[in-house]
Amino acid sequence: TQLLEQSPQFLSIQEGENLTVYCNSSSVFSSLQWYRQEPGEGPVLLVTVVTGGEVKKLKRLTFQFGDARKDSSLHITAAQPGDTGLYLCAGARNQGGKLIFGQGTELSVKP
Amino acid sequence: GAVVSQHPSWVICKSGTSVKIECRSLDFQATTMFWYRQFPKQSLMLMATSNEGSKATYEQGVEKDKFLINHASLTLSTLTVTSAHPEDSSFYICSAVNVGVNYGYTFGSGTRLTVV
């Protein structure tokens, strides 16, 4: 059973388009994190959200944590080829506890 | 910032041999570390939770006798893949919990294991 359902799993878009990645669960998480991973490397943390309804922005990336702390979204505005990569959401039920990952979203941004 | 060093970054071994992967927290103490494996084009799957000074907790379906985990100090956890087979070939990644930084998770750079 996948605790975190991430969608879409694959996304191919043109440079300049907007996109949203979703991460949903029936469970409540104390924190939810978004990572980006390049091939052959470990995941790199983009953001951590801990408060229901929280919105965080990182340049063209906007992250939102659902009010009930069961879901999250990542929105990228005006995607660029440099945004290409694997995006992963991950949630922890308690602070410092097991971090469970969603299926990942393979994003390809074509020039 | 917090750094986790994972070694080796890649290893090729013969079928039937054992391989040890090290995960070190360089500038913080980690009582808890996690081990993941990742197949190509897939997400990270949690294998086990490594606790300093006690036995590791394995996820369902992970063979504890095949994937030996030792967390003998606050800065080092090791994963030993015993009697490796080609199907064990994968990307293994460790993560350490940094209590001092709001329980943040810091990941190693991964180990590419190829069993031939």
Side-chain angles (χ1 to χ4, degrees):
Chain A
T1 302
Q2 188 72 33
L3 290 178
L4 270 174
E5 295 291 337
Q6 188 173 342
S7 63
Q9 293 186 37
F10 301 95
L11 192 55
S12 180
I13 61 174
Q14 292 295 129
E15 181 177 2
E17 293 183 7
N18 303 331
L19 67 114
T20 303
V21 179
Y22 299 93
C23 196
N24 296 296
S25 175
S26 58
S27 303
V28 176
F29 292 98
S30 68
S31 69
L32 200 141
Q33 309 191 346
W34 286 91
Y35 294 85
R36 178 177 165 180
Q37 186 182 24
E38 299 294 333
E41 299 179 11
V44 175
L45 180 67
L46 295 175
V47 77
T48 299
V49 285
V50 297
T51 305
E54 183 176 6
V55 176
K56 283 190 173 180
K57 291 193 175 184
L58 185 64
K59 296 183 180 179
R60 294 177 292 101
L61 278 61
T62 302
F63 305 87
Q64 187 164 4
F65 202 12
D67 291 340
R69 291 187 290 134
K70 293 182 179 180
D71 56 88
S72 181
S73 64
L74 157 61
H75 182 79
I76 300 180
T77 303
Q80 299 176 1
D83 295 327
T84 294
L86 179 65
Y87 290 83
L88 299 156
C89 66
R93 293 265 189 93
N94 51 279
Q95 207 172 32
K98 293 193 294 187
L99 195 62
I100 304 300
F101 282 80
Q103 296 98 325
T105 297
E106 189 75 48
L107 172 65
S108 174
V109 183
K110 302 185 188 307
Chain B
V3 177
V4 170
S5 174
Q6 189 171 339
H7 180 80
S9 56
W10 61 271
V11 58
I12 301 173
C13 71
K14 290 185 177 181
S15 188
T17 62
S18 295
V19 174
K20 180 185 286 188
I21 302 170
E22 293 187 348
C23 182
R24 293 180 185 273
S25 55
L26 296 186
D27 47 3
F28 65 98
Q29 293 182 334
T31 56
T32 303
M33 292 186 178
F34 301 98
W35 286 96
Y36 296 84
R37 68 186 296 181
Q38 184 178 31
F39 292 107
K41 300 296 185 183
Q42 294 187 22
S43 186
L44 281 71
M45 293 298 295
L46 181 64
M47 298 175 66
T49 302
S50 173
N51 301 297
E52 187 269 334
S54 64
K55 290 183 179 181
T57 304
Y58 291 82
E59 294 299 301
Q60 190 174 6
V62 178
E63 300 174 58
K64 62 180 182 180
D65 294 330
K66 180 168 186 61
F67 298 99
L68 300 179
I69 291 173
N70 184 280
H71 195 154
S73 78
L74 286 171
T75 59
L76 174 64
S77 174
T78 60
L79 167 68
T80 301
V81 183
T82 63
S83 186
H85 290 284
E87 56 265 32
D88 298 324
S89 298
S90 188
F91 193 54
Y92 292 86
I93 306 173
C94 69
S95 171
V97 177
N98 190 345
V99 174
V101 186
N102 261 348
Y103 293 88
Y105 301 85
T106 303
F107 284 82
S109 54
T111 297
R112 170 72 58 194
L113 170 63
T114 302
V115 185
V116 297

